[in-house]
């Protein structure tokens, strides 16, 4: 992995990457991680994101998970990507120990319908959380509550600013959102995104795939500032924060 900006090109070690992606001293902080093709597709030809990724992207994806207290994900992504609790092999235990983090990040699923797989709800090394609305189906809410902690934020839409507060109060100040596009649009609209990590994959797909955001246009658009730009095998790893 080479650093193009802000330093001169230089080969980066894992420890350099840990430093570049460290959460700021002043928490809380919500970081989003996405991969996109050159023509803006956030889904590969199989409608999943893994096919857009490469080795370095998977490495950074794993590092970002290793640095987080909680991974926030939309239920659509959890369903289409078959999300399960994070296992010990997916994160660096030694790094988490060094940083004083829990053994594993929890997954927090944002959902109205509560259509979430039992394998995810049951949790693993860390318990799974569900963030939903007052209007979620009552019977399903009872079933889900038997398996996972249910946080209610908002009436018909999850109020994402409130959801962030609930996660912080539960001891999860280092938040990582892994998408997807519907949740991302609502997070940006709520001014809840502190940082955006975007991998630009060096391929063109065309077609009608979703892009990083899905939903009504944001007026005014939200502005971000480039913090670093890394490169590996023609993939770009951009890190932006809210201006
Ligand atoms: N390229 C990437 O980095 C990347 C990352 C993530 C996902 N993806 C791709 O994106 C696609 C999925 O897109 P998507 O837009 O369906 O994903 P999504 O945002 O993960 O899921 C949408 C669902 O999440 C819940 N949700 C989102 N915002 C909500 C809110 N404000 N309040 C209440 N519930 C909310 C709802 O769940 P319920 O339906 O349960 O009510 C909604 O239907 C997949 O193909 C996936 O592979 C790509």
């Amino acid at each position: 992995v080479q650093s193009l900006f802000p330093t001169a090109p230089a080969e980066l070690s894992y420890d350099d990457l840990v430093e570049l992606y460290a959460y700021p001293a002043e928490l809380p902080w919500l970081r989003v991680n996405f991969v996109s093709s050159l023509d803006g597709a956030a889904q590969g030809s199989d409608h999943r994101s893994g096919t857009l990724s490469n080795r370095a992207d998977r490495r950074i994806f794993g590092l970002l998970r290793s640095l987080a207290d909680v991974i926030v994900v939309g239920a659509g992504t959890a369903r289409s990507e078959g999300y399960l609790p994070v296992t010990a092999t997916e994160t660096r235990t030694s790094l988490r120990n060094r940083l004083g983090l829990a053994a594993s990040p929890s997954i927090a699923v944002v959902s109205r319908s509560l259509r979430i797989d039992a394998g995810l709800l049951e949790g693993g090394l860390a318990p799974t959380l569900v963030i939903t609305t007052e209007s979620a189906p009552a019977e399903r809410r009872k079933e889900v509550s038997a398996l996972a902690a249910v946080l209610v934020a908002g009436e018909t839409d999850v109020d994402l600013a409130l959801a962030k507060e609930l996660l912080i109060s539960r001891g999860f100040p280092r938040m990582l959102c892994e998408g997807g596009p519907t949740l991302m649009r609502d997070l940006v609209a709520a001014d809840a995104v502190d940082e955006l990590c975007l991998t630009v994959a060096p391929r063109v797909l065309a077609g009608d795939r979703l892009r990083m955001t899905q939903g009504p246009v944001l007026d005014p658009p939200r502005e971000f500032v480039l913090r670093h730009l890394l490169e590996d095998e023609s993939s770009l790893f951009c890190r932006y924060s809210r201006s």
Side-chain angles (χ1 to χ4, degrees):
V1 181
Q2 296 215 318
S3 170
L4 304 176
F5 177 85
T7 54
E11 201 66 26
L12 298 173
S13 68
Y14 188 78
D15 283 345
D16 292 330
L17 291 174
V18 169
E19 210 170 294
L20 277 166
Y21 285 100
Y23 277 86
E26 262 188 50
L27 296 169
W29 191 258
L30 187 142
R31 159 185 287 160
V32 178
N33 188 28
F34 260 93
V35 57
S36 164
S37 69
L38 286 177
D39 54 336
Q43 302 171 296
S45 46
D46 60 353
H47 290 269
R48 296 169 73 151
S49 57
T51 42
L52 292 173
S53 194
N54 70 357
R55 197 176 47 91
D57 183 55
R58 285 190 289 278
R59 195 162 172 230
I60 289 172
F61 180 90
L63 168 61
L64 298 190
R65 284 190 153 200
S66 298
L67 295 171
D69 295 316
V70 66
I71 297 164
V72 182
V73 67
T77 298
R79 289 189 289 264
S80 62
E81 302 274 349
Y83 263 58
L84 288 171
V86 177
T87 62
T89 51
E90 289 177 78
T91 55
R92 285 233 181 163
T93 309
S94 55
L95 175 61
R96 295 187 67 84
N97 287 341
R98 176 151 63 84
L99 297 174
L101 304 178
S104 181
S106 282
I107 293 195
V109 190
V110 177
S111 174
R112 283 184 201 87
S113 72
L114 299 178
R115 285 193 297 121
I116 305 165
D117 200 80
L120 175 56
L121 290 172
E122 279 160 4
L125 288 172
T128 295
L129 303 138
V130 174
I131 309 175
T132 192
T133 59
E134 297 283 0
S135 59
E139 202 47 43
R140 182 65 191 139
R141 189 162 142 190
K142 223 184 282 171
E143 290 164 6
V144 168
S145 303
L147 298 173
V150 176
L151 313 182
V152 178
E155 185 54 47
T156 50
D157 292 333
V158 167
D159 174 337
L160 292 160
L162 176 58
K164 243 176 116 174
E165 291 305 320
L166 294 175
L167 289 174
I168 294 159
S169 69
R170 290 204 158 224
F172 301 110
R174 298 169 194 82
M175 294 166 271
L176 168 67
C177 177
E178 293 182 344
T182 306
L183 177 59
M184 174 61 177
R185 187 263 165 212
D186 289 353
L187 274 173
V188 178
D191 292 319
V193 175
D194 298 304
E195 177 183 328
L196 169 56
C197 293
L198 172 66
T199 300
V200 181
R203 53 189 64 96
V204 173
L205 266 97
D208 58 355
R209 297 294 180 262
L210 293 176
R211 60 193 178 113
M212 188 171 53
T213 52
Q214 168 74 17
V217 74
L218 296 172
D219 186 18
R222 306 307 195 269
E223 307 291 334
F224 289 81
V225 175
L226 184 65
R227 298 298 176 190
H228 76 221
L229 177 60
L230 316 179
E231 182 272 342
D232 186 82
E233 294 175 351
S234 295
S235 282
L236 294 178
F237 302 90
C238 319
R239 182 172 157 258
Y240 289 90
S241 64
R242 270 309 296 277
S243 56

